[in-house]
Amino acid sequence: MRKFFASAAVVSAACLGAVVPASAHPHIFIDAQLTVVFDQSGAVTALRHAWTFDEAFSAWAVQGLDTNNDGTTTPQELQDLADDNIKGLAEYGFYTFAGQNGTEVAFTPVGDQTIAYENGRTTLRYSIAAKAPYVADGRLEFGISDPEYYVAISFAAASAVTLENAPPGCTVELVPPTEMDAALADRLAALGPEVLVLPPDIAAAMRGTQGLVAINCATRGAAAATVVPTDNGAPTFKAAPFGGPPSEPGLPLPKSGIFKDLQDLQRDFYAALTSALGQLRTDYTAFWLLGGLSFLYGVIHAAGPGHGKVVISSYMLANETQVRRGISLSVISAMMQSVVAVVFVLIAAGVLRMTSMAMSDAANWISIISYAMVAALGVWLILRKLLGWGHRHSHDARPSDDMRKLAKSHMHDHDHDHDHDHGHDHQEHLHIVPAQVASGSLREQLGVVFAVGMRPCSGALVVLVFALSQGVLAAGIAAVFLMGVGTAITVAALATLAVTAKGLARRIGGVDNPTSAAVMWWLELLGAVAVLGFGVVLLIASF
């Protein structure tokens, strides 16, 4: 009995490691400036944003928008993009929270949005007006951030915040990201893998984890104006508001502690990678730096969200297989992702000259197909486990007498109307197949590869479009494949961990122990259910 619980604990830990909610990480980086506008009474009436995007995403954003092909993308050519950005941002509350003492200010767009493309970077400028003037009495906090952390918004210093017509004595303070308290961390950890958008109260409690802008004014004893209720809460808009490539749904985790370190590391590597691509125009020795950064970015990137590692690890748990097969599936899937990204950009941007919005829509449909394939794979694995579909008989090993007894106790007897020509005793066809019998076929493994590999990495798409815009497409392609190598190593390590944990659990429980075999059978079924559940959750979240 002790072995029974030990084996269950080992594999359960591996299963939990495979299906925990993925953490979101940024694909778009913004250097922000903010102007807070006061009226004569000292009330806040409007905010003016100026957001400058990173070079790589800027190249993605202006793709296909130089309509007269004169080599210059003007604000007039970018006006439709600016209008679309504001429509999307409205669904996210303009990534802006403002409040004091539990109240929250509601905003509406002014309609003055513009985008300029200068020195390789786009800058979105827009204003939002408070629906009712708000008196900044004491301390007023602004949270300028993306709750899903697809977009990383940062202020270089307090000087990036300007107060216009503010009462005397008002000062600006940049509050750094804060650690979550234990109670909030426990609530976040308790959310299941099907939760991809935070409940409003948790989202509100996490605002400070990405930092705040605080305006401190002398308390004047004036009553604040009536605050109009706001719905600047959890977003319902599914596409990225800036027309970026679709991100994989995942829970936003706090920008503090180890999560902050990982997110900062991803940002630093991404910035260095795009910088190395730009240097290649004049310095070919930068290729070696680019290659190393691309590889390391792939390793770090794979540590964030991604259905690849979850699907492959869960598939390993759901099948009796070898470590080298898990490694092979990881490598082939990662390389296929790189191939799909390159082919997609060459056709969409290079040949069809699609705009960034059109490319984002096309990439989203590819993601939907990929998630549907993951869900279909999960259905197949469950049916194969329960009904014995597609299992094959072992020619090298025969199950033990105990295993035969276990198999017979789980099967439905039925007659065979066909003869077998191979010269060994044919096992009974099992409707519930023990682990020693079940094994993934080549067709099934190809299904895993296509389900994981056909969804290109969003970061790879942006890097390729940026490389195309800089005239260094070949280097961009090389960088994407090196990212794939780094990703493959991380995913292969996780798959190896899953298979190793499974083998260890079987040895602890006893190879020929019927009780241990039954536990393994149920845990393998849970692995199949995890594949189905993950595919369904991602599929629903994509619409």
Side-chain angles (χ1 to χ4, degrees):
M1 186 61 66
R2 184 176 298 174
K3 290 184 176 181
F4 170 89
F5 286 111
S7 61
V10 170
V11 182
S12 295
C15 286
L16 289 173
V19 299
V20 292
S23 62
H25 66 280
H27 288 80
I28 302 173
F29 302 95
I30 293 175
D31 293 325
Q33 292 184 322
L34 172 67
T35 299
V36 183
V37 181
F38 296 79
D39 65 11
Q40 296 301 321
S41 68
V44 174
T45 58
L47 304 177
R48 289 201 294 266
H49 288 292
W51 292 351
T52 300
F53 296 79
D54 63 275
E55 279 191 287
F57 181 76
S58 295
W60 169 277
V62 302
Q63 163 63 34
L65 294 179
D66 181 13
T67 53
N68 59 6
N69 296 317
D70 64 352
T72 301
T73 308
T74 64
Q76 291 73 27
E77 291 171 317
L78 294 173
Q79 189 58 50
D80 287 343
L81 178 63
D83 296 340
D84 286 338
N85 283 184
I86 296 304
K87 290 178 183 177
L89 280 170
E91 300 293 338
Y92 284 82
F94 307 100
Y95 288 157
T96 301
F97 160 82
Q100 181 184 33
N101 301 324
T103 62
E104 187 170 345
V105 184
F107 293 100
T108 184
V110 172
D112 60 349
Q113 60 272 6
T114 62
I115 293 180
Y117 182 52
E118 298 173 345
N119 300 319
R121 303 181 70 180
T122 55
T123 299
L124 170 67
R125 291 180 171 85
Y126 71 98
S127 301
I128 50 178
K131 292 184 178 180
Y134 190 83
V135 176
D137 190 25
R139 180 184 177 92
L140 180 62
E141 294 182 341
F142 294 87
I144 315 296
S145 61
D146 173 10
E148 295 183 346
Y149 209 61
Y150 180 81
V151 181
I153 305 172
S154 60
F155 293 86
S159 58
V161 181
T162 302
L163 305 182
E164 183 176 297
N165 200 34
C170 290
T171 60
V172 175
E173 174 190 4
L174 290 185
V175 181
T178 58
E179 296 282 351
M180 286 189 301
D181 60 46
L184 181 59
D186 290 342
R187 290 191 62 193
L188 186 64
L191 296 176
E194 75 283 355
V195 179
L196 298 177
V197 176
L198 291 176
D201 60 328
I202 296 182
M206 288 182 63
R207 285 188 178 115
T209 63
Q210 292 194 44
L212 293 169
V213 175
I215 298 178
N216 300 296
C217 295
T219 301
R220 291 169 291 144
T226 302
V227 179
V228 178
T230 177
D231 57 359
N232 295 351
T236 57
F237 189 78
K238 295 302 180 185
F242 303 117
S247 64
E248 187 148 5
L251 271 182
L253 294 182
K255 193 182 177 185
S256 57
I258 189 172
F259 301 115
K260 180 180 185 299
D261 294 339
L262 179 60
Q263 292 159 358
D264 289 346
L265 194 60
Q266 288 175 333
R267 174 171 185 160
D268 292 343
F269 267 102
Y270 190 76
L273 191 155
T274 54
S275 175
L277 269 174
Q279 292 176 29
L280 274 174
R281 289 175 294 179
T282 57
D283 181 9
Y284 286 98
T285 62
F287 178 79
W288 302 108
L289 174 62
L290 172 67
L293 290 170
S294 300
F295 171 76
L296 292 174
Y297 178 77
V299 173
I300 297 169
H301 178 83
H307 71 302
K309 61 179 178 290
V310 177
V311 172
I312 291 177
S313 297
S314 298
Y315 176 75
M316 293 297 105
L317 290 171
N319 289 271
E320 174 64 20
T321 188
Q322 299 175 343
V323 170
R324 64 174 178 268
R325 183 173 296 170
I327 294 175
S328 298
L329 290 176
S330 302
V331 172
I332 296 172
S333 299
M335 291 300 100
M336 183 177 175
Q337 280 188 315
S338 298
V339 170
V340 171
V342 171
V343 172
F344 178 86
V345 169
L346 288 179
I347 294 175
V351 177
L352 301 179
R353 296 187 58 80
M354 295 170 62
T355 65
S356 58
M357 298 292 286
M359 290 173 64
S360 177
D361 289 341
N364 188 55
W365 277 108
I366 292 176
S367 298
I368 290 173
I369 295 172
S370 174
Y371 301 151
M373 292 181 66
V374 172
L377 174 66
V379 171
W380 164 255
L381 291 175
I382 292 172
L383 293 176
R384 184 169 71 81
K385 195 69 182 172
L386 293 175
L387 305 178
W389 292 355
H391 76 271
R392 64 190 184 193
H393 307 298
S394 172
H395 291 259
D396 301 320
R398 306 277 292 280
S400 67
D401 291 338
D402 287 337
M403 280 307 304
R404 287 189 179 188
K405 292 177 182 178
L406 176 66
K408 289 180 179 179
S409 70
H410 286 97
M411 75 175 190
H412 299 289
D413 294 322
H414 64 281
D415 296 327
H416 295 278
D417 297 327
H418 57 282
D419 296 326
H420 293 270
D421 295 329
H422 24 289
H424 65 279
D425 294 334
H426 179 65
Q427 299 177 41
E428 294 88 353
H429 279 260
L430 307 179
H431 286 271
I432 296 182
V433 184
Q436 283 84 342
V437 176
S439 180
S441 64
L442 177 60
R443 182 183 303 174
E444 184 176 290
Q445 293 161 33
L446 288 175
V448 175
V449 169
F450 276 94
V452 173
M454 73 175 299
R455 184 196 183 279
C457 168
S458 299
L461 295 179
V462 174
V463 165
L464 284 168
V465 170
F466 178 64
L468 180 64
S469 72
Q470 302 299 302
V472 289
L473 179 60
I477 292 174
V480 167
F481 276 101
L482 286 170
M483 286 183 202
V485 173
T487 299
I489 290 176
T490 300
V491 177
L494 294 173
T496 300
L497 177 63
V499 177
T500 303
K502 183 177 177 180
L504 177 61
R506 180 169 286 113
R507 288 192 295 273
I508 292 174
V511 176
D512 294 328
N513 186 323
T515 303
S516 176
V519 172
M520 295 302 301
W521 186 90
W522 281 105
L523 290 175
E524 288 172 354
L525 179 61
L526 287 178
V529 171
V531 175
L532 171 61
F534 198 68
V536 170
V537 168
L538 291 178
L539 188 60
I540 293 173
S542 298
F543 287 98

